[in-house]
Amino acid sequence: MIARMDIRITKAERSKLQDINFENLPFGKYFTDHMLEADFENGEWKNVEIKPYQPLLLYPSVVALHYGQAIFEGIKAYKNQNGEAFIFRPQENFKRFNISAERMQMPTIPEEIFMGGMKQLVALDKSWIPQRHEYSLYIRPLMFASDEVIGVKPSENYKFVIMLSPTGPYYHAPMRIYVEEKYVRAVEGGVGYAKTAGNYAAAMYATAQAKKQGYDQVLWTDAFEHKYVHECGTMNVFFIIGDNALTPDLESGTILDGVTRASVITLLKDMGYKVEERPVSIDEIIDAYKSGARLEIFGAGTAATISSIKELKYKDFVMHFDVEKWKAAPAIKTAITGIREGLREDKYNWMWKI
Ligand SMILES: *Cc1c(COP(=O)(O)O)cnc(C)c1O
């Protein structure tokens, strides 16, 4: 049980819920009526409060804006067939948030604020969780350095925020992917395993270059040989080859330890696949492609759940896949969605009741 925090709650005078068109819900554009805010000052977390969603007042000198001491999480809440609200595996995000905090020399956050606060906030804005197939409420916790001083050193003050955004089906058409050989996302000893702001800024240029050439995303490779695959954009990547499933292991610290990744591994094993977590080279994928083996490649992450890859370009070699004939990727997507929406048994207790 999580200790219950005393959280000051100021309710919005009027709900914006009626103003939102749920038929047209771009990802991350609309926010619910309330947000949570807390401050880290003099070595402790204080001022935990839930209040109407509103701007933050900041001086231009705050450390996060200059040196990027900022981390975040992405989590989703769902309603089951009876309209009861649940959050998908938030304990994993809580752990990861504190791992990111440690790497960025930021304070960790106690469970009663992250988990307890999130629960109270989602409960208050429960009517914003759509009870519709493939809809959810996206939960975005964020922490940033708030010292007002332009000096390169870890901040002494931090702000923690949780905001909520209703989201519709993320119909990702099967993707065309460019295997990146020039730019890198992460390197051993770096911060690839942390969900920190700078990782996303650093990835934008390469992604824009790939988009100019008609690709949807890049498949990142290792910094030394550009031979071992890391991640697909901001998703973990899976390769189904025959009855085996491969995904890069987490040993080198270059890969974000995705909650969707962990869930996909569990479900693939349940479905009888032999799952190997180890370095995966692009050559091995090309060999499998040339041999005519059954091959499915997909990205896994909270935003889109599962995104199939229909084309993979490496140097001058282009691999095409007939995603319509795939079995594993759609089965995994159906299984996860089913658990989240209460259509399938939640045998691993992934759903946390609000
Ligand atoms: C968030 C993220 C993922 C996916 O993690 P989930 O917990 O499954 O949402 C994968 N890669 C990167 C770089 C990410 O930021």
Side-chain angles (χ1 to χ4, degrees):
M1 277 307 281
I2 299 164
R4 200 175 158 89
M5 265 241 102
D6 224 353
I7 299 181
R8 185 150 58 96
I9 298 180
T10 312
K11 288 195 183 166
E13 279 174 15
R14 169 185 175 275
S15 176
K16 298 172 292 183
L17 186 56
Q18 272 62 46
D19 308 343
I20 306 291
N21 175 8
F22 278 76
E23 300 304 324
N24 177 21
L25 216 48
F27 182 78
K29 181 161 178 191
Y30 300 111
F31 295 92
T32 66
D33 295 322
H34 301 93
M35 64 196 259
L36 178 138
E37 228 183 285
D39 297 311
F40 187 82
E41 289 169 8
N42 300 319
E44 58 175 332
W45 285 102
K46 52 179 71 155
N47 312 332
V48 187
E49 65 171 314
I50 289 173
K51 57 187 187 181
Y53 182 75
Q54 59 190 267
L56 300 169
L57 259 183
L58 299 172
Y59 280 102
S61 57
V62 296
V63 168
L65 295 179
H66 301 257
Y67 310 120
Q69 253 192 318
I71 59 172
F72 69 95
E73 269 305 328
I75 309 169
K76 278 180 173 176
Y78 299 84
K79 271 186 185 154
N80 70 9
Q81 304 301 306
N82 302 323
E84 296 165 309
F86 295 83
I87 304 179
F88 184 73
R89 306 190 77 178
Q91 192 75 30
E92 304 306 315
N93 301 84
F94 167 59
K95 284 188 230 156
R96 187 169 71 191
F97 193 73
N98 279 340
I99 289 170
S100 299
E102 197 176 317
R103 182 63 180 83
M104 305 316 288
Q105 196 58 38
M106 299 165 86
T108 56
I109 190 143
E111 191 171 29
E112 56 269 30
I113 300 179
F114 189 102
M115 297 290 288
M118 174 168 59
K119 190 171 196 166
Q120 284 198 46
L121 178 64
V122 173
L124 184 61
D125 281 344
K126 189 179 158 194
S127 53
W128 285 82
I129 309 175
Q131 190 177 353
R132 290 170 76 159
H133 182 51
E134 297 199 333
Y135 279 69
S136 61
L137 183 69
Y138 186 80
I139 306 170
R140 168 56 62 89
L142 166 75
M143 193 211 306
F144 64 89
S146 57
D147 270 12
E148 289 148 16
V149 52
I150 311 181
V152 185
K153 64 177 177 58
S155 182
E156 284 170 14
N157 298 286
Y158 294 85
K159 192 171 273 298
F160 175 70
V161 183
I162 305 179
M163 62 204 103
L164 309 173
S165 175
T167 148
Y170 205 98
Y171 283 126
H172 224 302
M175 300 184 295
R176 300 180 65 216
I177 301 293
Y178 178 88
V179 180
E180 184 59 61
E181 286 190 280
K182 182 171 177 189
Y183 305 106
V184 294
R185 188 192 88 90
V187 61
E188 280 178 47
V191 298
Y193 67 88
K195 228 171 162 71
T196 185
N199 276 340
Y200 304 84
M204 286 177 186
Y205 185 78
T207 309
Q209 298 291 317
K211 284 193 175 162
K212 267 190 208 160
Q213 295 183 55
Y215 294 92
D216 298 300
Q217 265 300 344
V218 302
L219 180 63
W220 299 105
T221 55
D222 73 283
F224 303 108
E225 299 175 82
H226 293 300
K227 182 176 152 186
Y228 294 99
V229 303
H230 278 178
E231 301 196 50
C232 179
T234 58
M235 285 182 283
N236 293 114
V237 66
F238 282 84
F239 303 87
I240 308 289
I241 304 178
D243 294 329
N244 289 354
L246 303 181
T247 193
D249 63 277
L250 307 171
E251 293 301 308
S252 63
T254 53
I255 286 166
L256 204 288
D257 182 1
V259 181
T260 316
R261 175 185 181 278
S263 310
V264 169
I265 289 173
T266 299
L267 295 172
L268 281 170
K269 286 179 180 166
D270 276 356
M271 288 161 61
Y273 287 90
K274 183 169 166 279
V275 182
E276 296 177 38
E277 291 179 67
R278 59 167 174 79
V280 180
S281 79
I282 190 74
D283 294 336
E284 159 175 24
I285 304 308
I286 290 173
D287 288 348
Y289 181 80
K290 287 182 174 163
S291 78
R294 178 162 84 88
L295 187 55
E296 299 183 24
I297 311 181
F298 56 88
T302 294
T305 310
I306 301 292
S307 296
S308 302
I309 295 174
K310 70 170 181 188
E311 184 181 324
L312 191 61
K313 177 182 158 73
Y314 176 64
K315 298 187 196 285
D316 291 332
F317 191 67
V318 183
M319 292 171 258
H320 292 276
F321 303 97
D322 193 356
V323 301
E324 302 299 316
K325 297 200 175 127
W326 285 5
K327 290 199 197 80
I332 289 289
K333 177 150 192 188
T334 304
I336 297 192
T337 307
I339 292 168
R340 286 168 166 171
E341 296 177 1
L343 297 162
R344 290 204 178 191
E345 187 201 348
D346 175 23
K347 70 176 179 179
Y348 299 104
N349 286 317
W350 284 343
M351 306 310 292
W352 192 55
K353 192 158 197 282
I354 290 305

